[in-house]
Amino acid sequence: MARMTTWTIAPEPYDSPVAAALWRAYYTEVSDRWYLLHEGHRTDPAELEREIAARTGAELAPPTGELLVARYGGEPAGSAGVRLLAPDAAELTRVFLYAHTRGRGGAAPLVRAAEEAARALGARRMILDTRTDLVEARTLYARLGYTETERHNEDPYAEHWFTKDLSQASVPADAPARSRTARR
């Protein structure tokens, strides 16, 4: 009989050791991916350290934000952050899963939990940005009902902007909420 592994998703302080490790892994991966694609080398280590330190994630703390950590089989596996930009609009950011946990059913529940967190903060709309080379992310967002929209920020690396109406979206009965678990 196949062993079922459980996904759990719960809030995490943005400055915890778990959050810091996930942020470092996320930033390293997306930065290296950009540099390898555009300049043929990985991120300069000094630049990497500066950028990781400069972006603390403090905006993902209550009462206007939240960082969620997904655990797979009890081990930290990924994260998603939400921050209010306006009383009714939130931004989805830092969506990431460690490579060894991808393809195991955790991404959609993680984004749904972030949408639930945004609703709890009062948001009726979620926005996000991503890059062209992050094909997997764009595919995930489209599959979860996000639609491409006009530019909503001046991030020099953003190439695609998405939005989703959270006031009309309902969470499927089988979607794991932050207090529930998913099995895969």
Side-chain angles (χ1 to χ4, degrees), residues 22-42:
L22 285 161
W23 172 231
R24 176 173 291 283
Y26 167 85
Y27 195 86
T28 300
E29 182 174 322
V30 298
S31 183
D32 280 353
R33 193 164 173 171
W34 189 90
Y35 273 107
L36 286 167
L37 179 66
H38 296 283
E39 297 187 13
H41 62 82
R42 294 190 181 285

Side-chain angles (χ1 to χ4, degrees), residues 6-12 18-19 22 67-81 94-98 100-102 104-114 176-178 180-182:
T6 303
W7 281 97
T8 58
I9 301 165
E12 179 83 21
V18 167
L22 285 161
L67 178 68
L68 301 172
V69 167
R71 286 179 168 76
Y72 185 65
E75 295 297 319
S79 64
R94 296 192 186 195
V95 177
F96 173 75
L97 289 174
Y98 286 124
H100 69 277
T101 65
R102 294 177 192 156
R104 298 175 187 261
L110 181 57
V111 172
R112 286 189 202 108
R178 290 178 295 156
R180 299 189 317 227
T181 59

Side-chain angles (χ1 to χ4, degrees), residues 100-177:
H100 69 277
T101 65
R102 294 177 192 156
R104 298 175 187 261
L110 181 57
V111 172
R112 286 189 202 108
E115 292 169 356
E116 182 183 318
R119 284 187 194 94
L121 293 171
R124 294 189 315 264
R125 180 172 64 102
M126 184 84 88
I127 64 171
L128 64 93
D129 65 68
T130 191
R131 298 188 326 232
T132 298
D133 63 304
L134 301 176
V135 176
E136 307 89 343
R138 292 189 355 258
T139 300
L140 171 69
Y141 300 136
R143 183 169 50 92
L144 296 177
Y146 287 79
T147 55
E148 275 207 66
T149 188
E150 68 282 347
R151 172 186 286 269
H152 63 255
N153 63 26
E154 297 303 318
D155 183 328
Y157 297 104
E159 298 167 310
H160 297 270
W161 296 265
F162 289 84
T163 189
K164 183 175 182 178
D165 181 352
L166 299 178
S167 65
Q168 300 300 316
S170 62
V171 178
D174 66 340

